[in-house]
Amino acid sequence: MTADAAAAFDALAAALAPLGVRRGRMMGHPVLSVEKRMIACLDDGVLGVRLGSGSPAHTATLGRPGAAVFSPGGRGRAFRDWVGLPLAAVDHWEEATLEALRAVRDR
């Protein structure tokens, strides 16, 4: 993970902390969770965000430059409910993570 990606993730975590989003680690990766549900994960400079396959937020986020279905670890295993946003799309990280937060709270 690059220092820039780590710094961007730290800033995202700090911005969302007042909303009850907690920072943690899972399988060695920094994650964000709310109500014990993981909503975002940083993997090799890509922020994976859980938006729910087929949801309007998932579709819209996949339309961002560089976005793709999240596949952590580069093993080719796609997490269909997740969208990966590269560091080049850092300006969209907070918006996408807020959508993931809304999805968890709307359930």
Side-chain angles (χ1 to χ4, degrees), residues 1-8:
M1 172 182 355
T2 68
D4 289 343

Side-chain angles (χ1 to χ4, degrees), residues 11-107:
L12 178 63
L16 299 180
L19 300 176
V21 175
R22 295 181 180 254
R23 184 184 176 144
R25 294 191 79 74
M26 181 169 282
M27 300 176 83
H29 297 287
V31 299
L32 297 177
S33 63
V34 65
E35 299 171 14
K36 299 183 181 181
R37 298 198 58 176
M38 187 169 49
I39 60 171
C41 173
L42 186 63
D43 179 62
D44 198 26
V46 174
L47 182 73
V49 184
R50 183 184 218 165
L51 297 169
S53 182
S55 72
H58 189 272
T59 302
T61 305
L62 274 176
R64 301 282 184 204
V69 173
F70 188 52
S71 179
R75 293 184 209 99
R77 182 170 178 242
F79 284 33
R80 291 182 300 251
D81 286 334
W82 294 68
V83 175
L85 291 167
L87 185 58
V90 71
D91 291 345
H92 302 290
W93 284 17
E94 186 171 345
E95 174 188 0
T97 307
L98 285 169
E99 287 294 337
L101 175 62
R102 282 186 203 101
V104 166
R105 292 210 166 135
D106 286 348
R107 289 186 182 178

